[in-house]
Amino acid sequence: MCGSNSPGSPEKPPFFLYEYPGTRGTDAPREFLKGYKGTLVTDGYQVYHTLEKERSADLKVAGCWSHARRRFAEIVKASGKNSPSTPGQKIAAEAVKRIAAIYHVDHMYEKSSDEERLDHRKNSVNPLVDAYFECVKKYAGKTGLDKSSKLAGALNYSIHQEQFLRVFLEDPEIPLDNNDAERSVRSFCVGKHSWHIIDSKNGAAASAALYSIAETAKANNLKPYEYFSYLLEQLMHYPRNNVPENKLAELMPWSEALPDRCRKLKTR
């Protein structure tokens, strides 16, 4: 299952969209993203970069800082609590610390206007990003570094992804990572062994559609069960695949026309 999400804004409510690709090749994401114009926040999977080259006029790829951090964090975690850190672990710890600083400073203006956030990223976050890449390039070029080590892999990942990891600096709406999308598929991945009855392409496609609705409902502060119940109550009055556009608009998870029973209570 592949998925995408929009983090949302007052003008663009959040949504999650999943699809069963059937393959990890270029054809599946090419079809999935057909008609989409904007920015993808992804890991370093080469297929996305291939699509960007094919559609450079309307598709851009932004790198995920969480994926860059994860490689260093795994190296740090490998050392025991009471064991002295190796030189490689110290380098990894420094990289993790620098990425944490980038997140911290960027989040200071998370609730600000787009103009303020973009200005903040250019003046306050960009220098930290410059320093980070200067640091990883320095360590990657050190004599004696085992080119096959996890540390070399972590350093080279950031270096090869630099142009994509810098994209967020140009657009205030681009998040630092795609963690929202990863969190949204976690429950599916954890529970996948519990529903082996989904053993066909049609079943997988139906499951992806239902997950899209459920996760989008949750992202818009709805109760999934109540929302599904309300959808079924309303859609039963129309022929299949022939629901009026204005009615569909009223049924969207972000619609103001939804009844209160579908909404989660706001907590103070």
Side-chain angles (χ1 to χ4, degrees):
M1 177 180 287
C2 62
S4 65
N5 83 293
S6 162
S9 71
E11 297 78 26
K12 303 173 185 177
F15 69 87
F16 290 84
L17 180 62
Y18 303 98
E19 184 173 284
Y20 174 69
T23 175
R24 279 180 58 82
T26 311
D27 289 343
R30 182 184 288 120
E31 178 64 24
F32 183 66
L33 296 167
K34 185 170 62 178
Y36 171 78
K37 297 180 181 180
T39 302
L40 303 176
V41 183
T42 76
D43 59 14
Y45 189 36
Q46 183 57 41
V47 163
Y48 297 119
H49 302 150
T50 299
L51 292 178
E52 182 184 37
K53 291 177 181 178
E54 294 176 358
R55 298 175 48 191
S56 58
D58 60 10
L59 190 67
K60 178 175 283 190
V61 172
C64 172
W65 278 91
S66 182
H67 278 84
R69 178 192 178 280
R70 190 175 302 162
R71 294 168 180 263
F72 292 112
E74 289 173 353
I75 297 172
V76 174
K77 189 177 180 180
S79 64
K81 289 184 178 181
N82 299 320
S83 302
S85 297
T86 65
Q89 287 166 342
K90 290 180 180 178
I91 293 173
E94 181 181 350
V96 169
K97 185 176 180 180
R98 287 181 179 274
I99 293 175
I102 292 171
Y103 270 86
H104 174 72
V105 174
D106 188 67
H107 286 171
M108 290 170 63
Y109 277 66
E110 191 172 24
K111 303 298 182 181
S112 302
S113 67
D114 284 354
E115 183 178 356
E116 290 174 325
R117 191 172 191 192
L118 183 60
D119 184 66
H120 176 67
R121 283 182 166 179
K122 287 183 176 179
N123 295 308
S124 300
V125 183
N126 188 58
L128 296 177
V129 174
D130 288 342
Y132 170 78
F133 283 109
E134 182 179 343
C135 173
V136 295
K137 289 174 183 177
K138 177 186 71 175
Y139 287 126
K142 287 189 68 172
T143 303
L145 176 67
D146 181 358
K147 302 302 182 182
S148 63
S149 66
K150 286 188 175 181
L151 177 62
L155 293 168
N156 288 327
Y157 178 87
S158 283
I159 292 171
H160 294 154
Q161 294 296 311
E162 179 177 2
Q163 71 175 95
F164 308 108
L165 289 169
R166 286 183 176 274
V167 169
F168 82 100
L169 296 168
E170 307 165 4
D171 188 334
E173 292 189 357
I174 301 302
L176 282 160
D177 54 50
N178 65 353
N179 285 350
D180 280 348
E182 291 206 351
R183 278 192 292 268
S184 72
V185 299
R186 186 170 298 158
S187 59
F188 182 89
C189 294
V190 170
K192 61 185 177 182
H193 296 297
S194 300
W195 42 77
H196 288 295
I197 56 172
I198 302 176
D199 59 356
S200 68
K201 290 184 178 180
N202 287 340
S207 176
L210 290 173
Y211 261 85
S212 298
I213 297 172
E215 291 299 329
T216 300
K218 289 191 286 186
N220 285 274
N221 295 312
L222 301 181
K223 301 174 183 177
Y225 178 82
E226 295 292 345
Y227 179 59
F228 271 110
S229 297
Y230 180 70
L231 285 181
L232 294 174
E233 291 169 4
Q234 297 300 309
L235 293 175
M236 67 182 292
H237 300 294
Y238 301 93
R240 186 176 182 181
N241 298 327
N242 192 23
V243 184
E245 289 291 330
N246 62 327
K247 185 61 181 180
L248 285 175
E250 292 178 2
L251 296 175
M252 290 295 103
W254 46 83
S255 171
E256 295 294 332
L258 294 175
D260 289 341
R261 69 180 172 97
C262 294
R263 306 182 189 281
K264 292 181 180 179
L265 295 176
K266 293 183 179 181
T267 56
R268 294 181 180 179

